[in-house]
Amino acid sequence: MATNLAIDDRLLNKAKRAGGFRTKKETVTAALGELIARHEQRKILKAMGTFDFRKDWDYKKDRREHRR
């Protein structure tokens, strides 16, 4: 998808150098990917402590049964 954006050149060049990217497109694509990953991680962290875990669960047995 072609998109025209007015991005601060100093900021973009600094991000490009920091990430070792060759192109502006690479830089923006990586930055968007990192933003998405960070937000998904926050969702996971928010969920921490909201699940009840079975204390009697034998993960080794469960793993063996799922390999079959």
Side-chain angles (χ1 to χ4, degrees):
M1 167 186 354
T3 304
N4 292 324
L5 299 171
I7 300 174
D8 183 334
D9 283 330
R10 288 180 294 161
L11 186 62
L12 186 57
N13 287 327
K14 189 173 181 178
K16 190 174 156 189
R17 282 191 309 274
F21 302 110
R22 292 186 332 240
T23 65
K24 291 178 181 181
K25 180 180 178 181
E26 262 185 277
T27 307
V28 172
T29 301
L32 291 171
E34 287 187 30
L35 175 73
I36 292 165
R38 183 174 292 169
H39 281 272
E40 288 175 352
Q41 288 171 351
R42 284 186 183 152
K43 287 180 191 177
I44 292 168
L45 288 174
K46 272 183 145 180
M48 294 295 286
T50 61
F51 296 94
D52 292 327
F53 292 97
R54 289 182 23 213
K55 292 183 181 174
D56 63 332
W57 178 53
D58 183 353
Y59 71 93
K60 289 182 181 179
K61 178 182 174 192
D62 194 44
R63 189 182 302 152
R64 280 191 305 268
E65 290 175 359
H66 281 91
R67 285 187 191 164
R68 295 178 191 169

Coordinates of all heavy atoms in Angstrom, one line a residue:
M1 N 0.9 -1.2 0.0 CA 0.0 0.0 0.0 C 0.9 1.2 0.0 O 1.7 1.4 0.9 CB -0.9 0.0 1.2 CG -1.6 1.3 1.5 SD -2.5 1.5 3.0 CE -2.6 0.0 3.8
A2 N 0.7 2.1 -1.0 CA 1.5 3.3 -1.1 C 0.9 4.3 -0.1 O -0.3 4.5 -0.1 CB 1.5 3.8 -2.5
T3 N 1.8 4.9 0.7 CA 1.3 5.9 1.7 C 2.3 7.1 1.7 O 3.5 6.8 1.7 CB 1.2 5.3 3.1 OG1 0.4 4.2 3.0 CG2 0.7 6.3 4.1
N4 N 1.8 8.3 1.7 CA 2.7 9.4 1.9 C 2.6 9.9 3.3 O 1.5 10.2 3.8 CB 2.3 10.5 0.9 CG 2.6 10.2 -0.5 OD1 3.6 9.5 -0.8 ND2 1.7 10.6 -1.4
L5 N 3.7 10.1 4.0 CA 3.7 10.5 5.3 C 4.7 11.6 5.5 O 5.8 11.6 4.9 CB 4.1 9.4 6.3 CG 3.2 8.2 6.3 CD1 3.8 7.1 7.2 CD2 1.8 8.6 6.9
A6 N 4.4 12.6 6.3 CA 5.4 13.6 6.7 C 6.0 13.2 8.0 O 5.4 13.4 9.1 CB 4.7 15.0 6.8
I7 N 7.2 12.6 7.9 CA 7.9 12.1 9.1 C 9.1 13.0 9.3 O 9.8 13.4 8.4 CB 8.3 10.7 8.9 CG1 7.1 9.8 8.7 CG2 9.1 10.2 10.1 CD1 7.4 8.3 8.4
D8 N 9.4 13.4 10.6 CA 10.5 14.1 11.0 C 11.8 13.4 10.4 O 12.1 12.3 10.9 CB 10.6 14.3 12.5 CG 11.7 15.2 13.0 OD1 12.7 15.3 12.3 OD2 11.5 15.7 14.1
D9 N 12.5 14.1 9.5 CA 13.7 13.5 8.9 C 14.8 13.2 9.9 O 15.4 12.1 9.8 CB 14.3 14.4 7.8 CG 13.5 14.3 6.5 OD1 12.9 13.3 6.2 OD2 13.5 15.4 5.8
R10 N 15.0 14.0 10.9 CA 16.0 13.8 11.9 C 15.6 12.5 12.7 O 16.5 11.7 13.0 CB 16.1 15.0 12.9 CG 16.8 16.2 12.2 CD 17.0 17.3 13.1 NE 15.6 17.8 13.4 CZ 15.3 18.6 14.5 NH1 16.2 18.9 15.3 NH2 14.1 19.0 14.6
L11 N 14.4 12.4 13.1 CA 13.9 11.2 13.9 C 14.1 10.0 13.1 O 14.6 8.9 13.5 CB 12.5 11.5 14.3 CG 11.9 10.4 15.3 CD1 12.7 10.4 16.6 CD2 10.4 10.8 15.5
L12 N 13.7 10.0 11.8 CA 13.7 8.9 10.9 C 15.2 8.4 10.7 O 15.5 7.3 10.8 CB 13.0 9.2 9.6 CG 12.9 8.0 8.6 CD1 12.2 6.8 9.3 CD2 12.2 8.4 7.4
N13 N 16.1 9.4 10.4 CA 17.5 9.1 10.2 C 18.1 8.5 11.5 O 19.0 7.6 11.4 CB 18.2 10.3 9.7 CG 17.9 10.6 8.3 OD1 17.6 9.7 7.5 ND2 17.9 11.9 7.9
K14 N 17.8 9.0 12.6 CA 18.3 8.5 13.9 C 17.8 7.1 14.1 O 18.6 6.2 14.5 CB 17.8 9.4 15.0 CG 18.5 9.1 16.4 CD 18.1 10.1 17.4 CE 18.8 9.8 18.7 NZ 18.4 10.8 19.8
A15 N 16.6 6.8 13.8 CA 16.0 5.4 14.0 C 16.7 4.5 12.9 O 17.0 3.4 13.3 CB 14.5 5.4 13.7
K16 N 17.0 5.0 11.8 CA 17.6 4.2 10.7 C 19.0 3.8 11.1 O 19.4 2.7 11.0 CB 17.6 5.1 9.4 CG 18.0 4.3 8.2 CD 17.9 5.3 7.0 CE 18.8 4.9 5.9 NZ 18.8 5.8 4.8
R17 N 19.8 4.8 11.7 CA 21.1 4.5 12.1 C 21.1 3.6 13.3 O 21.9 2.6 13.4 CB 21.8 5.8 12.5 CG 22.4 6.5 11.3 CD 23.3 7.7 11.8 NE 22.8 8.5 12.8 CZ 22.0 9.6 12.6 NH1 21.7 9.9 11.3 NH2 21.6 10.3 13.6
A18 N 20.2 3.8 14.3 CA 20.1 3.0 15.5 C 19.8 1.5 15.2 O 20.3 0.6 15.8 CB 19.1 3.6 16.5
G19 N 18.9 1.3 14.2 CA 18.5 0.0 13.9 C 19.4 -0.7 12.8 O 19.3 -1.9 12.5
G20 N 20.3 0.1 12.2 CA 21.2 -0.4 11.2 C 20.4 -0.7 9.9 O 20.8 -1.6 9.2
F21 N 19.4 0.0 9.6 CA 18.5 -0.2 8.4 C 19.1 0.5 7.2 O 19.8 1.5 7.4 CB 17.1 0.2 8.7 CG 16.5 -0.5 9.8 CD1 16.2 0.2 11.0 CD2 16.2 -1.8 9.8 CE1 15.6 -0.5 12.1 CE2 15.6 -2.5 10.8 CZ 15.3 -1.8 12.0
R22 N 18.9 0.0 6.0 CA 19.4 0.6 4.8 C 18.4 1.6 4.2 O 18.8 2.6 3.6 CB 19.7 -0.5 3.8 CG 20.8 -1.4 4.1 CD 21.1 -2.4 3.0 NE 20.0 -2.7 2.2 CZ 19.4 -3.9 2.0 NH1 19.9 -4.9 2.5 NH2 18.4 -4.0 1.2
T23 N 17.1 1.4 4.4 CA 16.1 2.2 3.8 C 15.1 2.8 4.8 O 15.0 2.3 5.9 CB 15.3 1.5 2.7 OG1 14.6 0.5 3.4 CG2 16.2 0.9 1.7
K24 N 14.5 3.9 4.4 CA 13.4 4.4 5.3 C 12.3 3.4 5.4 O 11.7 3.3 6.5 CB 12.9 5.7 4.6 CG 13.9 6.9 4.7 CD 13.3 8.1 4.0 CE 14.3 9.2 4.0 NZ 13.7 10.4 3.4
K25 N 12.0 2.7 4.3 CA 10.9 1.7 4.4 C 11.2 0.7 5.4 O 10.3 0.3 6.2 CB 10.6 1.1 3.0 CG 9.5 0.1 3.0 CD 9.3 -0.5 1.6 CE 8.2 -1.5 1.6 NZ 8.0 -2.1 0.3
E26 N 12.4 0.1 5.4 CA 12.8 -0.9 6.4 C 12.6 -0.4 7.8 O 12.2 -1.1 8.7 CB 14.3 -1.2 6.2 CG 14.6 -2.4 5.4 CD 16.1 -2.7 5.4 OE1 16.8 -2.1 4.6 OE2 16.6 -3.5 6.2
T27 N 13.1 0.9 8.0 CA 13.0 1.5 9.3 C 11.6 1.6 9.8 O 11.3 1.2 10.9 CB 13.7 2.9 9.3 OG1 15.0 2.8 8.7 CG2 13.8 3.5 10.6
V28 N 10.7 2.1 9.0 CA 9.3 2.3 9.4 C 8.6 1.0 9.6 O 7.9 0.8 10.6 CB 8.6 3.2 8.3 CG1 7.1 3.2 8.6 CG2 9.1 4.6 8.3
T29 N 8.9 0.0 8.7 CA 8.3 -1.3 8.9 C 8.7 -2.0 10.2 O 7.9 -2.5 10.9 CB 8.7 -2.2 7.7 OG1 8.2 -1.6 6.5 CG2 8.1 -3.6 7.8
A30 N 10.0 -1.9 10.5 CA 10.5 -2.4 11.8 C 9.9 -1.7 13.0 O 9.5 -2.3 14.0 CB 12.0 -2.3 11.8
A31 N 9.8 -0.4 12.9 CA 9.2 0.4 14.0 C 7.8 0.0 14.2 O 7.3 -0.1 15.4 CB 9.3 1.9 13.7
L32 N 7.0 -0.2 13.2 CA 5.6 -0.6 13.3 C 5.5 -2.0 13.9 O 4.7 -2.2 14.8 CB 4.9 -0.5 12.0 CG 4.7 0.9 11.4 CD1 4.1 0.8 9.9 CD2 3.7 1.7 12.2
G33 N 6.4 -2.9 13.5 CA 6.4 -4.2 14.0 C 6.7 -4.2 15.5 O 6.1 -4.9 16.3
E34 N 7.7 -3.4 15.9 CA 8.0 -3.3 17.3 C 6.9 -2.7 18.2 O 6.6 -3.1 19.3 CB 9.3 -2.5 17.5 CG 10.5 -3.3 17.1 CD 11.8 -2.5 17.4 OE1 11.9 -1.8 18.4 OE2 12.8 -2.7 16.7
L35 N 6.2 -1.7 17.6 CA 5.1 -1.1 18.3 C 4.0 -2.1 18.5 O 3.4 -2.2 19.6 CB 4.5 0.1 17.5 CG 3.2 0.7 18.0 CD1 3.6 1.6 19.3 CD2 2.6 1.6 17.0
I36 N 3.7 -2.9 17.5 CA 2.6 -3.9 17.6 C 3.0 -5.0 18.7 O 2.2 -5.3 19.5 CB 2.4 -4.6 16.3 CG1 1.7 -3.6 15.3 CG2 1.5 -5.8 16.4 CD1 1.7 -4.0 13.9
A37 N 4.3 -5.4 18.6 CA 4.8 -6.4 19.6 C 4.7 -5.9 21.0 O 4.3 -6.6 21.9 CB 6.2 -6.8 19.2
R38 N 5.1 -4.7 21.2 CA 5.0 -4.1 22.5 C 3.6 -4.0 23.1 O 3.4 -4.3 24.2 CB 5.6 -2.7 22.5 CG 5.7 -2.0 23.9 CD 6.4 -0.7 23.9 NE 7.8 -1.0 23.6 CZ 8.7 -0.1 23.3 NH1 8.3 1.2 23.3 NH2 9.9 -0.4 23.1
H39 N 2.7 -3.6 22.2 CA 1.3 -3.6 22.7 C 0.7 -5.0 23.0 O -0.1 -5.2 23.9 CB 0.4 -2.9 21.7 CG 0.5 -1.4 21.8 ND1 -0.2 -0.6 22.6 CD2 1.4 -0.5 21.2 CE1 0.1 0.7 22.5 NE2 1.1 0.7 21.6
E40 N 1.1 -6.0 22.2 CA 0.7 -7.4 22.4 C 1.3 -7.9 23.7 O 0.6 -8.6 24.5 CB 1.1 -8.3 21.3 CG 0.2 -8.0 20.0 CD 0.6 -8.7 18.8 OE1 1.7 -9.4 18.8 OE2 -0.1 -8.7 17.8
Q41 N 2.5 -7.5 24.0 CA 3.2 -7.9 25.3 C 2.4 -7.3 26.5 O 2.2 -7.9 27.5 CB 4.6 -7.5 25.3 CG 5.5 -8.3 24.4 CD 6.9 -7.7 24.3 OE1 7.2 -6.6 24.7 NE2 7.8 -8.4 23.6
R42 N 2.0 -6.1 26.3 CA 1.2 -5.4 27.4 C -0.1 -6.1 27.7 O -0.5 -6.3 28.8 CB 1.0 -3.9 27.1 CG 2.2 -3.1 27.2 CD 1.8 -1.6 27.0 NE 3.0 -0.8 27.1 CZ 3.2 0.3 26.5 NH1 2.2 0.8 25.7 NH2 4.3 1.0 26.6
K43 N -0.7 -6.6 26.6 CA -2.0 -7.4 26.8 C -1.7 -8.6 27.6 O -2.4 -9.0 28.5 CB -2.6 -7.7 25.5 CG -3.2 -6.6 24.7 CD -3.8 -7.1 23.4 CE -4.2 -6.0 22.5 NZ -4.6 -6.5 21.2
I44 N -0.6 -9.3 27.3 CA -0.2 -10.5 28.0 C 0.1 -10.2 29.5 O -0.3 -10.9 30.4 CB 1.0 -11.2 27.3 CG1 0.6 -11.7 25.9 CG2 1.6 -12.3 28.2 CD1 1.8 -12.2 25.1
L45 N 0.8 -9.1 29.7 CA 1.2 -8.8 31.1 C -0.1 -8.4 31.9 O -0.2 -8.7 33.1 CB 2.2 -7.6 31.1 CG 3.6 -7.9 30.6 CD1 4.4 -6.7 30.6 CD2 4.2 -8.9 31.6
K46 N -1.0 -7.8 31.2 CA -2.3 -7.4 31.9 C -3.0 -8.7 32.3 O -3.7 -8.7 33.4 CB -3.2 -6.6 31.0 CG -3.0 -5.2 31.1 CD -4.0 -4.5 30.2 CE -4.5 -3.2 30.8 NZ -5.5 -2.5 30.0
A47 N -2.9 -9.8 31.6 CA -3.6 -11.0 31.8 C -2.9 -11.8 33.0 O -3.5 -12.7 33.5 CB -3.7 -11.9 30.6
M48 N -1.7 -11.5 33.3 CA -0.9 -12.2 34.3 C -1.7 -12.1 35.6 O -2.2 -11.1 36.0 CB 0.5 -11.6 34.5 CG 1.4 -11.8 33.3 SD 1.8 -13.5 33.0 CE 2.9 -13.9 34.3
G49 N -1.8 -13.3 36.3 CA -2.5 -13.3 37.5 C -4.0 -13.5 37.4 O -4.7 -13.6 38.4
T50 N -4.5 -13.5 36.2 CA -6.0 -13.7 36.0 C -6.4 -15.1 35.7 O -7.5 -15.4 35.6 CB -6.5 -12.7 34.9 OG1 -5.9 -13.1 33.7 CG2 -6.2 -11.3 35.2
F51 N -5.4 -16.0 35.6 CA -5.6 -17.4 35.3 C -5.4 -18.2 36.5 O -4.4 -18.0 37.2 CB -4.7 -17.9 34.1 CG -4.9 -17.2 32.8 CD1 -4.2 -16.1 32.5 CD2 -5.9 -17.6 31.9 CE1 -4.4 -15.5 31.3 CE2 -6.1 -17.0 30.7 CZ -5.3 -15.9 30.4
D52 N -6.2 -19.2 36.7 CA -6.0 -20.2 37.8 C -5.3 -21.4 37.2 O -5.7 -21.9 36.2 CB -7.3 -20.6 38.4 CG -8.0 -19.5 39.1 OD1 -7.3 -18.6 39.7 OD2 -9.2 -19.5 39.1
F53 N -4.2 -21.7 37.8 CA -3.4 -22.9 37.3 C -3.6 -24.1 38.3 O -3.7 -23.9 39.5 CB -1.9 -22.5 37.3 CG -1.6 -21.5 36.3 CD1 -1.4 -20.2 36.6 CD2 -1.4 -21.9 34.9 CE1 -1.1 -19.2 35.6 CE2 -1.1 -21.0 34.0 CZ -1.0 -19.6 34.3
R54 N -3.7 -25.2 37.6 CA -3.9 -26.5 38.4 C -2.6 -26.9 39.0 O -1.6 -27.1 38.3 CB -4.4 -27.6 37.5 CG -5.8 -27.4 37.0 CD -6.3 -28.5 36.2 NE -5.6 -29.8 36.3 CZ -5.4 -30.6 35.4 NH1 -5.9 -30.4 34.2 NH2 -4.8 -31.8 35.6
K55 N -2.5 -27.0 40.3 CA -1.3 -27.4 41.0 C -1.0 -28.9 40.8 O 0.2 -29.2 40.9 CB -1.4 -27.1 42.5 CG -1.5 -25.6 42.8 CD -1.5 -25.3 44.2 CE -1.6 -23.8 44.3 NZ -1.8 -23.1 45.4
D56 N -2.0 -29.7 40.4 CA -1.7 -31.1 40.2 C -1.4 -31.4 38.7 O -1.2 -32.6 38.4 CB -3.0 -31.9 40.6 CG -4.2 -31.6 39.8 OD1 -4.3 -30.4 39.3 OD2 -5.0 -32.4 39.6
W57 N -1.2 -30.4 37.9 CA -1.0 -30.7 36.5 C 0.4 -31.2 36.3 O 1.4 -30.6 36.8 CB -1.2 -29.4 35.7 CG -0.9 -29.5 34.2 CD1 -1.4 -30.4 33.4 CD2 0.0 -28.6 33.5 NE1 -0.9 -30.2 32.1 CE2 -0.1 -29.1 32.1 CE3 0.8 -27.6 33.8 CZ2 0.7 -28.5 31.1 CZ3 1.5 -27.0 32.8 CH2 1.4 -27.4 31.5
D58 N 0.6 -32.3 35.5 CA 1.9 -32.9 35.3 C 2.2 -32.5 33.8 O 1.8 -33.2 32.9 CB 1.8 -34.4 35.4 CG 3.1 -35.1 35.2 OD1 4.1 -34.4 34.8 OD2 3.2 -36.3 35.5
Y59 N 3.0 -31.4 33.7 CA 3.3 -31.0 32.3 C 4.1 -32.0 31.5 O 4.0 -32.0 30.3 CB 4.0 -29.6 32.3 CG 5.4 -29.6 32.8 CD1 6.5 -29.8 32.0 CD2 5.7 -29.5 34.2 CE1 7.8 -29.8 32.4 CE2 7.0 -29.5 34.7 CZ 8.0 -29.7 33.8 OH 9.3 -29.7 34.2
K60 N 4.9 -32.8 32.2 CA 5.7 -33.8 31.5 C 4.8 -34.9 30.9 O 5.0 -35.3 29.7 CB 6.8 -34.4 32.4 CG 7.9 -33.4 32.7 CD 8.9 -34.0 33.6 CE 10.0 -33.0 34.0 NZ 11.1 -33.6 34.8
K61 N 3.9 -35.3 31.7 CA 2.9 -36.3 31.2 C 2.1 -35.7 30.0 O 1.9 -36.4 29.0 CB 2.0 -36.7 32.3 CG 1.0 -37.8 31.9 CD 0.1 -38.1 33.1 CE -1.0 -39.0 32.6 NZ -2.1 -39.1 33.6
D62 N 1.7 -34.5 30.2 CA 0.9 -33.9 29.1 C 1.7 -33.8 27.8 O 1.2 -34.0 26.7 CB 0.4 -32.5 29.6 CG -0.7 -31.9 28.7 OD1 -1.6 -32.7 28.4 OD2 -0.6 -30.7 28.4
R63 N 2.9 -33.4 27.9 CA 3.8 -33.3 26.8 C 4.0 -34.6 26.1 O 3.9 -34.7 24.8 CB 5.2 -32.7 27.2 CG 6.0 -32.3 26.0 CD 7.4 -31.8 26.5 NE 7.3 -30.7 27.3 CZ 8.2 -30.4 28.2 NH1 9.3 -31.1 28.4 NH2 8.1 -29.3 29.0
R64 N 4.2 -35.7 26.9 CA 4.4 -37.0 26.3 C 3.1 -37.4 25.5 O 3.2 -38.0 24.4 CB 4.7 -38.0 27.4 CG 6.1 -38.1 27.9 CD 6.4 -39.3 28.7 NE 5.5 -39.4 29.9 CZ 5.7 -38.8 31.1 NH1 6.8 -38.1 31.3 NH2 4.8 -39.0 32.1
E65 N 2.0 -37.2 26.1 CA 0.7 -37.6 25.5 C 0.4 -36.8 24.2 O -0.2 -37.3 23.2 CB -0.5 -37.4 26.4 CG -0.4 -38.4 27.6 CD -1.5 -38.2 28.6 OE1 -2.3 -37.2 28.5 OE2 -1.5 -38.9 29.6
H66 N 0.9 -35.6 24.1 CA 0.7 -34.8 22.9 C 1.6 -35.1 21.8 O 1.4 -34.7 20.6 CB 0.7 -33.3 23.2 CG -0.6 -32.8 23.8 ND1 -0.8 -32.8 25.2 CD2 -1.7 -32.3 23.2 CE1 -2.0 -32.3 25.4 NE2 -2.6 -32.1 24.2
R67 N 2.7 -35.8 22.1 CA 3.7 -36.1 21.0 C 3.2 -37.3 20.2 O 3.7 -37.5 19.1 CB 5.0 -36.5 21.7 CG 5.8 -35.4 22.2 CD 7.2 -35.8 22.7 NE 7.8 -34.7 23.4 CZ 8.9 -34.9 24.1 NH1 9.4 -36.1 24.3 NH2 9.4 -33.9 24.8
R68 N 2.3 -38.1 20.7 CA 1.8 -39.3 20.0 C 1.0 -38.9 18.8 O 0.5 -38.0 18.4 CB 0.9 -40.1 20.9 CG 1.8 -40.7 22.0 CD 0.9 -41.5 22.9 NE 1.7 -41.7 24.1 CZ 1.2 -42.2 25.2 NH1 -0.1 -42.5 25.3 NH2 1.9 -42.5 26.3

